Amino acid sequence: MIQKREHWGSRMGFILAASGSAVGIGNIWKYPSIAGQNGGAAFTLVYLACILVVGLSIVIAEFVIGRNTQLSPVGAFEKLAPNTSWKWVGFLGVGSAFAILSFYGVVGGWIFKYIIMSLTGGFDTLAGSPDTAGNVFNTFITGLWAPVFYQVIFMTVCIWVIIHGVKGGIEKWSKIMMPLIIILLAVLAVRGMTLPGGSEGLAFLFNPRFEELTASGIVLALGHAFFTLSLGMGTMITYGSYLGKKENLLNSALWVIFLDTAIAMLAGVAIFTTVFALGANPAEGPGLIFVVLPSVFPQLAGGTVWGTMFFILLFMAALTSAISILEVVTAYFIDQKGWSRKKATIRFGAVITVVGAFCSFSLGGGINITGIFGISFFDFMDGLSSKYMLPIGGMFTAIFILKKWGIPNFINELKNGMDHFNVPPALIRTLLTIGAAVVAFIIFNEIYAVFAGKALIG
Ligand code: PHE
Protein backbone atom coordinates (compact mmCIF):
# COMPACT_ATOMS: atom_id res chain seq x y z
CA MET A 1 0.00 0.00 0.00
CA ILE A 2 2.97 2.29 -0.49
CA GLN A 3 1.85 5.21 -2.59
CA LYS A 4 4.00 8.25 -3.12
CA ARG A 5 2.60 11.05 -0.98
CA GLU A 6 1.51 14.17 -2.74
CA HIS A 7 3.31 17.35 -1.67
CA TRP A 8 2.53 21.05 -1.91
CA GLY A 9 4.02 22.70 -4.99
CA SER A 10 5.42 25.69 -3.12
CA ARG A 11 5.81 27.22 0.31
CA MET A 12 3.46 30.03 -0.61
CA GLY A 13 0.88 27.50 -1.79
CA PHE A 14 1.03 25.72 1.55
CA ILE A 15 0.68 28.93 3.56
CA LEU A 16 -2.25 30.08 1.45
CA ALA A 17 -3.97 26.69 1.77
CA ALA A 18 -3.48 26.56 5.54
CA SER A 19 -4.61 30.13 6.01
CA GLY A 20 -7.48 29.43 3.61
CA SER A 21 -8.56 26.73 6.02
CA ALA A 22 -8.32 29.13 8.94
CA VAL A 23 -10.07 32.05 7.23
CA GLY A 24 -13.71 31.17 6.90
CA ILE A 25 -17.20 31.85 8.11
CA GLY A 26 -15.64 32.12 11.57
CA ASN A 27 -13.71 35.25 10.62
CA ILE A 28 -16.27 37.05 8.56
CA TRP A 29 -19.52 35.99 10.21
CA LYS A 30 -18.73 34.94 13.78
CA TYR A 31 -15.88 37.23 14.80
CA PRO A 32 -17.45 40.63 14.00
CA SER A 33 -20.74 39.70 15.59
CA ILE A 34 -19.30 38.28 18.82
CA ALA A 35 -16.74 41.09 19.16
CA GLY A 36 -19.53 43.64 18.64
CA GLN A 37 -21.60 42.05 21.38
CA ASN A 38 -18.81 41.47 23.91
CA GLY A 39 -17.01 44.76 24.40
CA GLY A 40 -15.34 45.47 21.03
CA ALA A 41 -11.59 45.80 21.44
CA ALA A 42 -11.85 44.40 24.98
CA PHE A 43 -12.95 41.09 23.44
CA THR A 44 -10.36 41.40 20.68
CA LEU A 45 -7.53 41.74 23.20
CA VAL A 46 -8.52 38.52 24.96
CA TYR A 47 -8.96 36.78 21.62
CA LEU A 48 -5.48 37.88 20.49
CA ALA A 49 -3.94 36.64 23.71
CA CYS A 50 -5.62 33.24 23.20
CA ILE A 51 -4.40 33.06 19.62
CA LEU A 52 -0.82 33.86 20.58
CA VAL A 53 -0.53 31.70 23.68
CA VAL A 54 -2.76 28.71 22.93
CA GLY A 55 -3.36 28.90 19.18
CA LEU A 56 0.20 29.34 17.97
CA SER A 57 1.59 26.40 19.92
CA ILE A 58 -1.16 24.05 18.79
CA VAL A 59 -0.86 25.08 15.13
CA ILE A 60 2.85 24.28 15.34
CA ALA A 61 2.16 21.02 17.18
CA GLU A 62 -0.20 19.87 14.43
CA PHE A 63 2.19 20.86 11.61
CA VAL A 64 5.04 18.99 13.35
CA ILE A 65 3.03 15.78 13.83
CA GLY A 66 1.80 15.87 10.24
CA ARG A 67 5.17 16.51 8.65
CA ASN A 68 6.95 13.95 10.80
CA THR A 69 4.56 11.11 9.99
CA GLN A 70 3.51 12.14 6.47
CA LEU A 71 0.09 10.85 7.44
CA SER A 72 -3.35 12.19 8.28
CA PRO A 73 -4.43 12.13 11.96
CA VAL A 74 -5.43 8.48 12.58
CA GLY A 75 -2.32 7.11 10.87
CA ALA A 76 -0.14 9.80 12.42
CA PHE A 77 -1.03 8.94 16.02
CA GLU A 78 -0.85 5.23 15.21
CA LYS A 79 2.63 5.64 13.75
CA LEU A 80 4.02 7.65 16.66
CA ALA A 81 2.32 5.53 19.33
CA PRO A 82 1.65 2.10 17.81
CA ASN A 83 -0.93 -0.15 19.44
CA THR A 84 -2.12 2.44 21.89
CA SER A 85 -5.40 4.30 22.22
CA TRP A 86 -3.87 7.52 20.89
CA LYS A 87 -5.24 6.79 17.43
CA TRP A 88 -8.65 7.67 18.88
CA VAL A 89 -7.57 11.29 18.93
CA GLY A 90 -7.29 10.90 15.16
CA PHE A 91 -10.72 9.27 14.93
CA LEU A 92 -12.14 12.11 17.01
CA GLY A 93 -10.77 14.47 14.36
CA VAL A 94 -12.44 12.54 11.54
CA GLY A 95 -15.68 12.63 13.54
CA SER A 96 -15.34 16.38 14.08
CA ALA A 97 -14.88 16.84 10.35
CA PHE A 98 -18.20 15.09 9.73
CA ALA A 99 -19.97 17.18 12.35
CA ILE A 100 -18.57 20.54 11.25
CA LEU A 101 -18.90 20.08 7.52
CA SER A 102 -22.51 18.97 7.83
CA PHE A 103 -23.69 22.36 9.13
CA TYR A 104 -20.90 24.37 7.46
CA GLY A 105 -22.13 23.13 4.09
CA VAL A 106 -25.62 24.39 4.88
CA VAL A 107 -24.31 27.88 5.65
CA GLY A 108 -22.20 27.66 2.47
CA GLY A 109 -25.45 27.06 0.60
CA TRP A 110 -27.10 30.11 2.19
CA ILE A 111 -24.15 32.22 1.06
CA PHE A 112 -24.49 30.96 -2.50
CA LYS A 113 -28.20 31.78 -2.47
CA TYR A 114 -27.35 35.33 -1.30
CA ILE A 115 -24.89 35.82 -4.17
CA ILE A 116 -27.67 35.00 -6.61
CA MET A 117 -30.14 37.13 -4.71
CA SER A 118 -27.81 40.13 -4.75
CA LEU A 119 -26.95 39.68 -8.42
CA THR A 120 -30.59 39.58 -9.42
CA GLY A 121 -31.44 42.75 -7.49
CA GLY A 122 -33.17 40.83 -4.71
CA PHE A 123 -31.78 43.12 -2.01
CA ASP A 124 -33.45 46.20 -3.50
CA THR A 125 -36.78 45.62 -1.79
CA LEU A 126 -35.00 45.18 1.54
CA ALA A 127 -33.39 48.65 1.55
CA GLY A 128 -33.49 50.17 5.01
CA SER A 129 -35.74 47.46 6.38
CA PRO A 130 -33.94 44.82 8.44
CA ASP A 131 -37.32 43.44 9.53
CA THR A 132 -38.26 42.53 6.00
CA ALA A 133 -34.75 41.21 5.42
CA GLY A 134 -35.13 39.10 8.56
CA ASN A 135 -38.40 37.62 7.30
CA VAL A 136 -36.89 36.81 3.92
CA PHE A 137 -33.93 35.09 5.56
CA ASN A 138 -36.09 33.11 7.98
CA THR A 139 -38.51 32.00 5.32
CA PHE A 140 -35.61 30.80 3.22
CA ILE A 141 -33.68 28.84 5.85
CA THR A 142 -36.76 27.22 7.36
CA GLY A 143 -37.94 25.98 3.97
CA LEU A 144 -37.71 22.28 3.20
CA TRP A 145 -35.86 21.85 -0.10
CA ALA A 146 -34.59 25.29 -1.17
CA PRO A 147 -31.71 25.47 1.36
CA VAL A 148 -30.77 21.86 0.65
CA PHE A 149 -30.63 22.61 -3.06
CA TYR A 150 -28.03 25.34 -2.43
CA GLN A 151 -26.17 23.20 0.11
CA VAL A 152 -25.79 20.48 -2.53
CA ILE A 153 -24.29 23.03 -4.94
CA PHE A 154 -21.78 24.17 -2.31
CA MET A 155 -20.81 20.60 -1.40
CA THR A 156 -20.45 19.66 -5.07
CA VAL A 157 -17.94 22.46 -5.62
CA CYS A 158 -16.09 21.36 -2.50
CA ILE A 159 -15.94 17.73 -3.67
CA TRP A 160 -14.81 18.82 -7.10
CA VAL A 161 -11.84 20.76 -5.69
CA ILE A 162 -10.76 17.89 -3.42
CA ILE A 163 -10.92 15.31 -6.22
CA HIS A 164 -8.26 17.35 -8.05
CA GLY A 165 -5.80 16.62 -5.27
CA VAL A 166 -3.46 18.53 -3.01
CA LYS A 167 -1.57 20.50 -5.62
CA GLY A 168 -4.04 20.55 -8.49
CA GLY A 169 -7.08 21.19 -6.29
CA ILE A 170 -6.52 22.60 -2.82
CA GLU A 171 -3.35 24.54 -3.54
CA LYS A 172 -4.42 25.81 -6.93
CA TRP A 173 -7.74 27.17 -5.69
CA SER A 174 -6.33 28.58 -2.46
CA LYS A 175 -3.78 30.52 -4.49
CA ILE A 176 -6.55 32.02 -6.55
CA MET A 177 -9.11 32.61 -3.84
CA MET A 178 -7.05 33.87 -0.89
CA PRO A 179 -5.65 36.95 -2.67
CA LEU A 180 -9.12 37.70 -4.04
CA ILE A 181 -10.63 37.51 -0.56
CA ILE A 182 -8.06 39.99 0.74
CA ILE A 183 -8.49 42.39 -2.16
CA LEU A 184 -12.29 42.35 -2.07
CA LEU A 185 -12.37 42.82 1.71
CA ALA A 186 -9.88 45.67 1.54
CA VAL A 187 -11.99 47.40 -1.13
CA LEU A 188 -15.10 46.99 1.01
CA ALA A 189 -13.26 48.26 4.10
CA VAL A 190 -12.04 51.39 2.27
CA ARG A 191 -15.53 51.94 0.90
CA GLY A 192 -16.94 51.68 4.43
CA MET A 193 -14.36 54.03 5.95
CA THR A 194 -14.99 56.70 3.36
CA LEU A 195 -18.74 56.74 3.94
CA PRO A 196 -19.92 59.67 6.07
CA GLY A 197 -20.28 58.37 9.61
CA GLY A 198 -18.34 55.22 8.83
CA SER A 199 -15.61 56.02 11.31
CA GLU A 200 -18.07 55.53 14.17
CA GLY A 201 -17.96 51.87 13.20
CA LEU A 202 -14.22 51.90 13.79
CA ALA A 203 -14.76 53.31 17.26
CA PHE A 204 -17.33 50.59 17.96
CA LEU A 205 -14.90 47.87 16.95
CA PHE A 206 -11.66 49.29 18.30
CA ASN A 207 -12.59 51.11 21.51
CA PRO A 208 -12.33 48.68 24.39
CA ARG A 209 -15.54 48.56 26.42
CA PHE A 210 -14.28 46.52 29.35
CA GLU A 211 -17.59 46.85 31.18
CA GLU A 212 -19.23 44.75 28.45
CA LEU A 213 -16.66 41.96 28.63
CA THR A 214 -18.12 39.20 30.77
CA ALA A 215 -16.57 35.94 31.89
CA SER A 216 -18.59 34.11 29.27
CA GLY A 217 -17.15 36.48 26.66
CA ILE A 218 -13.69 35.33 27.73
CA VAL A 219 -14.63 31.66 27.39
CA LEU A 220 -16.13 32.48 24.01
CA ALA A 221 -12.87 34.09 22.90
CA LEU A 222 -10.95 30.93 23.80
CA GLY A 223 -13.34 28.62 21.99
CA HIS A 224 -13.37 30.89 18.98
CA ALA A 225 -9.55 30.91 18.82
CA PHE A 226 -9.75 27.15 18.21
CA PHE A 227 -12.48 27.28 15.63
CA THR A 228 -11.01 30.14 13.66
CA LEU A 229 -7.56 28.52 13.44
CA SER A 230 -9.10 25.16 12.39
CA LEU A 231 -7.48 23.46 15.37
CA GLY A 232 -8.21 20.26 17.22
CA MET A 233 -9.40 17.99 14.43
CA GLY A 234 -6.23 17.33 12.53
CA THR A 235 -6.74 19.74 9.64
CA MET A 236 -3.31 21.18 10.24
CA ILE A 237 -1.88 17.67 10.77
CA THR A 238 -3.24 16.68 7.38
CA TYR A 239 -1.98 19.83 5.64
CA GLY A 240 1.38 19.43 7.43
CA SER A 241 1.64 15.87 6.13
CA TYR A 242 2.00 17.19 2.58
CA LEU A 243 5.14 19.16 3.54
CA GLY A 244 8.79 18.43 2.98
CA LYS A 245 11.59 18.89 5.49
CA LYS A 246 12.74 22.26 4.20
CA GLU A 247 9.78 24.22 5.49
CA ASN A 248 10.19 26.48 8.51
CA LEU A 249 7.13 25.53 10.55
CA LEU A 250 7.32 28.36 13.06
CA ASN A 251 7.41 30.89 10.29
CA SER A 252 4.51 29.22 8.44
CA ALA A 253 2.42 29.09 11.62
CA LEU A 254 3.05 32.78 12.24
CA TRP A 255 1.88 33.57 8.72
CA VAL A 256 -1.29 31.57 9.21
CA ILE A 257 -2.24 33.29 12.45
CA PHE A 258 -1.30 36.69 11.08
CA LEU A 259 -3.47 36.29 7.97
CA ASP A 260 -6.34 34.80 9.96
CA THR A 261 -6.34 37.66 12.46
CA ALA A 262 -5.80 40.40 9.89
CA ILE A 263 -8.70 39.15 7.78
CA ALA A 264 -11.01 38.96 10.79
CA MET A 265 -10.17 42.59 11.63
CA LEU A 266 -10.61 43.70 8.04
CA ALA A 267 -14.01 42.01 7.95
CA GLY A 268 -14.95 43.82 11.15
CA VAL A 269 -13.94 47.16 9.64
CA ALA A 270 -15.77 46.55 6.36
CA ILE A 271 -18.95 45.50 8.13
CA PHE A 272 -19.18 47.98 11.01
CA THR A 273 -18.22 51.08 9.05
CA THR A 274 -20.97 50.31 6.55
CA VAL A 275 -23.52 49.43 9.21
CA PHE A 276 -22.81 52.62 11.21
CA ALA A 277 -22.76 54.88 8.18
CA LEU A 278 -26.29 53.78 7.38
CA GLY A 279 -27.55 53.83 10.94
CA ALA A 280 -28.36 50.11 11.22
CA ASN A 281 -28.14 48.08 14.42
CA PRO A 282 -24.59 46.82 15.02
CA ALA A 283 -25.46 44.49 17.89
CA GLU A 284 -27.59 42.24 15.73
CA GLY A 285 -25.38 39.19 16.38
CA PRO A 286 -25.67 36.29 13.96
CA GLY A 287 -28.20 38.18 11.82
CA LEU A 288 -25.60 40.82 11.02
CA ILE A 289 -24.54 39.21 7.76
CA PHE A 290 -27.74 37.78 6.33
CA VAL A 291 -30.18 40.33 7.71
CA VAL A 292 -28.56 43.70 8.37
CA LEU A 293 -26.13 43.80 5.43
CA PRO A 294 -28.71 42.96 2.73
CA SER A 295 -30.83 45.85 4.02
CA VAL A 296 -27.83 48.18 4.11
CA PHE A 297 -26.10 47.51 0.77
CA PRO A 298 -28.99 48.65 -1.48
CA GLN A 299 -28.89 52.06 0.24
CA LEU A 300 -25.39 52.64 -1.15
CA ALA A 301 -24.66 53.84 -4.65
CA GLY A 302 -23.74 50.73 -6.64
CA GLY A 303 -25.23 48.57 -3.89
CA THR A 304 -25.60 45.51 -6.09
CA VAL A 305 -21.87 45.52 -6.77
CA TRP A 306 -20.94 45.86 -3.08
CA GLY A 307 -23.42 43.25 -1.93
CA THR A 308 -22.42 40.75 -4.57
CA MET A 309 -18.74 41.33 -3.84
CA PHE A 310 -19.30 40.69 -0.16
CA PHE A 311 -21.15 37.41 -0.63
CA ILE A 312 -18.68 36.18 -3.26
CA LEU A 313 -15.76 36.74 -0.92
CA LEU A 314 -17.65 35.06 1.89
CA PHE A 315 -18.35 32.11 -0.40
CA MET A 316 -14.66 31.76 -1.24
CA ALA A 317 -13.69 31.97 2.43
CA ALA A 318 -16.23 29.28 3.30
CA LEU A 319 -15.06 27.08 0.44
CA THR A 320 -11.34 27.15 1.31
CA SER A 321 -12.29 26.09 4.85
CA ALA A 322 -14.78 23.43 3.79
CA ILE A 323 -12.23 21.77 1.50
CA SER A 324 -9.79 21.49 4.40
CA ILE A 325 -12.46 19.76 6.46
CA LEU A 326 -13.36 17.29 3.71
CA GLU A 327 -9.66 16.65 3.08
CA VAL A 328 -9.30 15.25 6.63
CA VAL A 329 -11.95 12.62 5.87
CA THR A 330 -10.65 11.89 2.37
CA ALA A 331 -7.05 11.56 3.58
CA TYR A 332 -8.14 9.07 6.24
CA PHE A 333 -9.64 6.73 3.64
CA ILE A 334 -6.65 7.15 1.32
CA ASP A 335 -4.00 6.66 4.03
CA GLN A 336 -5.64 4.01 6.17
CA LYS A 337 -7.92 2.15 3.78
CA GLY A 338 -5.99 2.51 0.54
CA TRP A 339 -8.97 3.99 -1.32
CA SER A 340 -8.54 6.19 -4.36
CA ARG A 341 -8.95 9.93 -3.78
CA LYS A 342 -11.94 10.05 -6.09
CA LYS A 343 -13.81 7.23 -4.41
CA ALA A 344 -13.12 8.55 -0.88
CA THR A 345 -14.13 12.10 -1.72
CA ILE A 346 -17.32 11.29 -3.58
CA ARG A 347 -18.59 8.71 -1.11
CA PHE A 348 -17.93 10.69 2.03
CA GLY A 349 -18.74 14.04 0.49
CA ALA A 350 -22.15 12.53 -0.29
CA VAL A 351 -22.62 11.09 3.20
CA ILE A 352 -21.78 14.45 4.80
CA THR A 353 -24.17 16.21 2.43
CA VAL A 354 -26.99 13.90 3.54
CA VAL A 355 -26.22 14.47 7.23
CA GLY A 356 -26.07 18.20 6.46
CA ALA A 357 -29.51 18.06 4.83
CA PHE A 358 -30.83 16.90 8.21
CA CYS A 359 -29.17 19.93 9.83
CA SER A 360 -31.06 22.10 7.40
CA PHE A 361 -34.38 20.22 7.85
CA SER A 362 -34.08 20.75 11.61
CA LEU A 363 -34.38 24.51 11.23
CA GLY A 364 -37.98 24.42 10.15
CA GLY A 365 -38.40 21.74 7.52
CA GLY A 366 -40.17 19.63 10.13
CA ILE A 367 -37.58 16.88 10.62
CA ASN A 368 -35.43 17.32 13.71
CA ILE A 369 -33.72 14.20 14.95
CA THR A 370 -32.47 15.90 18.13
CA GLY A 371 -35.90 17.40 18.81
CA ILE A 372 -36.35 15.33 21.98
CA PHE A 373 -33.44 17.24 23.52
CA GLY A 374 -35.12 20.53 22.69
CA ILE A 375 -32.37 21.61 20.30
CA SER A 376 -32.16 21.71 16.53
CA PHE A 377 -29.85 19.18 14.91
CA PHE A 378 -28.05 22.13 13.30
CA ASP A 379 -27.23 23.73 16.67
CA PHE A 380 -26.44 20.32 18.12
CA MET A 381 -23.75 19.64 15.50
CA ASP A 382 -22.39 23.18 15.83
CA GLY A 383 -22.23 23.06 19.65
CA LEU A 384 -20.93 19.50 19.81
CA SER A 385 -18.04 20.21 17.47
CA SER A 386 -16.98 23.72 18.44
CA LYS A 387 -17.59 23.49 22.18
CA TYR A 388 -16.40 19.95 22.81
CA MET A 389 -14.80 18.01 19.97
CA LEU A 390 -12.29 20.64 18.75
CA PRO A 391 -11.07 21.71 22.21
CA ILE A 392 -10.83 18.07 23.36
CA GLY A 393 -8.89 17.15 20.22
CA GLY A 394 -6.53 20.10 20.72
CA MET A 395 -6.00 19.30 24.37
CA PHE A 396 -5.08 15.68 23.64
CA THR A 397 -2.73 16.77 20.88
CA ALA A 398 -0.83 18.90 23.40
CA ILE A 399 -0.89 16.13 26.03
CA PHE A 400 0.31 13.63 23.42
CA ILE A 401 3.45 15.67 22.80
CA LEU A 402 4.07 16.34 26.47
CA LYS A 403 3.48 12.83 27.76
CA LYS A 404 3.84 10.32 24.96
CA TRP A 405 5.92 11.46 22.03
CA GLY A 406 8.21 13.68 24.10
CA ILE A 407 9.52 17.20 23.70
CA PRO A 408 12.94 16.09 22.30
CA ASN A 409 11.32 14.22 19.38
CA PHE A 410 9.04 17.15 18.79
CA ILE A 411 11.95 19.59 18.72
CA ASN A 412 13.97 17.37 16.39
CA GLU A 413 11.21 17.56 13.84
CA LEU A 414 10.52 21.25 14.38
CA LYS A 415 14.19 22.06 13.80
CA ASN A 416 14.10 20.83 10.22
CA GLY A 417 13.93 23.99 8.16
CA MET A 418 15.07 26.23 11.01
CA ASP A 419 18.77 25.42 11.21
CA HIS A 420 20.04 28.36 13.18
CA PHE A 421 17.27 28.53 15.66
CA ASN A 422 17.59 27.11 19.12
CA VAL A 423 14.22 26.03 20.40
CA PRO A 424 14.18 26.08 24.19
CA PRO A 425 12.46 22.89 25.42
CA ALA A 426 11.22 24.65 28.55
CA LEU A 427 9.34 27.20 26.46
CA ILE A 428 7.64 24.50 24.40
CA ARG A 429 6.73 22.59 27.54
CA THR A 430 5.29 25.70 29.19
CA LEU A 431 3.24 26.74 26.17
CA LEU A 432 1.80 23.28 25.56
CA THR A 433 1.01 22.90 29.25
CA ILE A 434 -0.77 26.24 29.37
CA GLY A 435 -2.65 25.31 26.19
CA ALA A 436 -3.79 21.94 27.56
CA ALA A 437 -4.71 23.40 30.96
CA VAL A 438 -6.68 26.30 29.53
CA VAL A 439 -8.62 24.03 27.21
CA ALA A 440 -9.27 21.50 29.97
CA PHE A 441 -10.76 24.33 31.96
CA ILE A 442 -13.07 25.48 29.13
CA ILE A 443 -14.35 21.96 28.60
CA PHE A 444 -14.88 21.43 32.31
CA ASN A 445 -16.71 24.73 32.49
CA GLU A 446 -19.01 23.73 29.62
CA ILE A 447 -19.79 20.32 31.06
CA TYR A 448 -20.33 21.78 34.52
CA ALA A 449 -22.76 24.30 33.02
CA VAL A 450 -24.77 21.51 31.39
CA PHE A 451 -25.10 19.53 34.62
CA ALA A 452 -25.26 22.31 37.21
CA GLY A 453 -27.36 24.65 35.09
CA LYS A 454 -24.83 27.41 35.62
CA ALA A 455 -21.21 27.75 34.50
CA LEU A 456 -18.36 28.24 36.97
CA ILE A 457 -17.34 31.15 34.83
CA GLY A 458 -19.68 32.95 32.48
N1 PHE B 1 -11.49 27.95 10.60
C1 PHE B 1 -12.73 27.87 9.90
C2 PHE B 1 -13.50 29.18 10.03
O1 PHE B 1 -13.08 30.08 10.69
C3 PHE B 1 -13.58 26.72 10.36
C4 PHE B 1 -12.89 25.40 10.48
C5 PHE B 1 -12.89 24.71 11.68
C6 PHE B 1 -12.23 24.83 9.39
C7 PHE B 1 -12.24 23.50 11.82
C8 PHE B 1 -11.55 23.63 9.52
C9 PHE B 1 -11.56 22.98 10.73
O2 PHE B 1 -14.55 29.32 9.47
Side-chain angles (χ1 to χ4, degrees), residues 64 67-68 245 405 409-416:
V64 167
R67 183 176 68 182
N68 184 269
K245 296 287 184 202
W405 196 33
N409 285 331
F410 174 84
I411 292 185
N412 271 344
E413 178 60 53
L414 178 62
K415 281 185 92 169
N416 290 313

Side-chain angles (χ1 to χ4, degrees), residues 21-27 100 104 224 226-231 233 235 260 317 321-322 324-325 390:
S21 166
V23 173
I25 299 175
N27 303 59
I100 298 186
Y104 211 88
H224 185 62
F226 260 83
F227 186 83
T228 191
L229 290 174
S230 310
L231 294 179
M233 54 165 264
T235 316
D260 186 70
S321 298
S324 74
I325 308 177
L390 294 185

Side-chain angles (χ1 to χ4, degrees), residues 26 43 124-125 140 203 208 307 363 387:
F43 176 88
D124 293 348
T125 51
F140 167 61
L363 295 178
K387 284 193 188 149

Side-chain angles (χ1 to χ4, degrees), residues 168-179:
I170 305 175
E171 179 170 354
K172 176 174 163 194
W173 287 101
S174 302
K175 270 159 87 177
I176 297 174
M177 290 194 283
M178 283 303 286

Side-chain angles (χ1 to χ4, degrees), residues 339-416:
W339 287 22
S340 72
R341 174 168 281 278
K342 193 166 171 190
K343 174 173 156 191
T345 311
I346 294 182
R347 288 216 183 160
F348 283 90
V351 173
I352 293 172
T353 308
V354 172
V355 179
F358 282 89
C359 288
S360 178
F361 294 151
S362 76
L363 295 178
I367 310 164
N368 183 13
I369 55 179
T370 47
I372 42 164
F373 304 120
I375 181 173
S376 71
F377 186 51
F378 185 103
D379 288 340
F380 174 79
M381 290 304 234
D382 182 6
L384 180 71
S385 52
S386 35
K387 284 193 188 149
Y388 300 102
M389 296 171 89
L390 294 185
I392 291 177
M395 177 182 75
F396 279 117
T397 305
I399 297 178
F400 174 76
I401 292 169
L402 288 166
K403 295 279 169 223
K404 180 74 195 170
W405 196 33
I407 305 272
N409 285 331
F410 174 84
I411 292 185
N412 271 344
E413 178 60 53
L414 178 62
K415 281 185 92 169
N416 290 313

